């Protein structure tokens, strides 16, 4: 049973020289090209990423993030090297996705560089749930939990790991702690 399946934490918090970085490393039993499609193609992104994304994946290009009942906002593509690297600005965060081939599949690393340490636990629990959704989608399975349920399972562990300063910003709308 993987950490994702048993609800254990897998994200870490790092000092990124004046900012903070959340790091998730997830082994996947799928070829890099399949995972690349899952992180760049709109029909696959909608299965796991928290917002719909439109625009072209080209360095310097503008991408737009859409969510029901929330205003759209824009980001910028910072790096694009198929099928191994995608980096973009998402609000004040910088999201970096790295894919490394390995025997039996690949390893996906998600890095989220943030300004406010207070949202580290909240966002780590969110990425944990997102990556679990990505794994389900790649495996052709439906998640065994409802939206927000996985977040509620893992959030307390991130609060404990990152301490009170890493948990001053509460859950996103519609998510409740366990």
């Amino acid at each position: 049973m993987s950490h994702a399946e048993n609800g254990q934490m897998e994200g870490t918090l790092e000092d990124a020289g004046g900012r903070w970085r959340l790091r998730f490393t997830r082994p996947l039993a799928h070829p890099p090209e399949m995972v690349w499609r899952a992180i760049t193609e709109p029909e696959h992104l909608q299965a796991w990423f928290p917002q719909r994304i439109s625009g072209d994946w080209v360095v310097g290009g503008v991408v737009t993030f859409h969510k029901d009942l929330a205003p759209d906002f824009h980001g910028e593509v910072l790096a694009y090297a198929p099928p191994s690297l995608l980096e973009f600005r998402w609000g004040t965060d910088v999201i970096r996705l790295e894919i490394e081939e390995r025997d039996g599949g690949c390893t996906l690393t998600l890095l989220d560089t943030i300004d406010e340490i207070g949202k580290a636990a909240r966002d780590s629990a969110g990425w944990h749930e997102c990556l679990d959704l990505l794994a389900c989608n790649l495996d052709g399975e439906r998640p065994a939990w409802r939206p927000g349920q996985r977040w509620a399972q893992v959030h307390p562990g991130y609060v404990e790991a990152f301490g009170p300063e890493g948990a001053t910003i509460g859950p996103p709308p519609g998510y409740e702690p366990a």
Side-chain angles (χ1 to χ4, degrees), residues 118 159 162-168:
V159 170
F162 301 159
E165 67 279 358
T168 60

Side-chain angles (χ1 to χ4, degrees), residues 60-117:
V62 173
V63 288
T64 304
F65 301 95
H66 315 272
K67 188 155 178 107
D68 296 339
L69 305 175
D72 291 352
F73 64 94
H74 302 288
E76 178 186 4
V77 180
L78 304 172
Y80 181 79
S84 61
L85 174 64
L86 176 64
E87 185 176 48
F88 56 92
R89 208 172 294 288
W90 182 43
T92 60
D93 293 10
V94 173
I95 307 299
R96 183 178 178 94
L97 298 155
E98 301 171 352
I99 300 170
E100 185 176 329
E101 189 169 8
R102 62 171 177 75
D103 286 345
C106 65
T107 299
L108 174 66
T109 300
L110 182 148
L111 303 166
D112 180 3
T113 303
I114 59 176
D115 287 331
E116 299 178 63
I117 191 172

Side-chain angles (χ1 to χ4, degrees), residues 6-160:
N6 67 19
Q8 290 181 6
M9 295 177 4
E10 54 187 38
T12 60
L13 179 63
E14 307 168 346
D15 183 340
R19 296 186 79 193
W20 296 95
R21 183 174 26 242
L22 307 173
R23 176 184 296 271
F24 288 82
T25 303
R26 178 76 64 104
L28 298 167
H30 302 282
E33 296 76 16
M34 183 178 181
V35 176
W36 181 256
R37 286 191 304 274
I39 67 170
T40 59
E41 295 178 1
E43 64 272 18
H44 298 291
L45 274 165
Q46 69 185 5
W48 70 275
F49 196 80
Q51 293 179 305
R52 195 168 46 82
I53 303 173
S54 62
D56 294 323
W57 294 119
V58 57
V59 175
V62 173
V63 288
T64 304
F65 301 95
H66 315 272
K67 188 155 178 107
D68 296 339
L69 305 175
D72 291 352
F73 64 94
H74 302 288
E76 178 186 4
V77 180
L78 304 172
Y80 181 79
S84 61
L85 174 64
L86 176 64
E87 185 176 48
F88 56 92
R89 208 172 294 288
W90 182 43
T92 60
D93 293 10
V94 173
I95 307 299
R96 183 178 178 94
L97 298 155
E98 301 171 352
I99 300 170
E100 185 176 329
E101 189 169 8
R102 62 171 177 75
D103 286 345
C106 65
T107 299
L108 174 66
T109 300
L110 182 148
L111 303 166
D112 180 3
T113 303
I114 59 176
D115 287 331
E116 299 178 63
I117 191 172
K119 68 180 196 160
R122 178 194 75 180
D123 289 8
S124 289
W127 286 124
H128 192 121
E129 181 169 316
C130 288
L131 291 171
D132 285 356
L133 288 169
L134 172 64
C136 285
N137 183 259
L138 287 166
D139 293 343
E141 299 173 356
R142 295 181 58 101
W145 66 91
R146 66 185 183 283
Q149 189 175 14
R150 174 69 84 218
W151 183 95
Q153 281 181 319
V154 298
H155 183 253
Y158 288 110
V159 170
E160 183 178 335

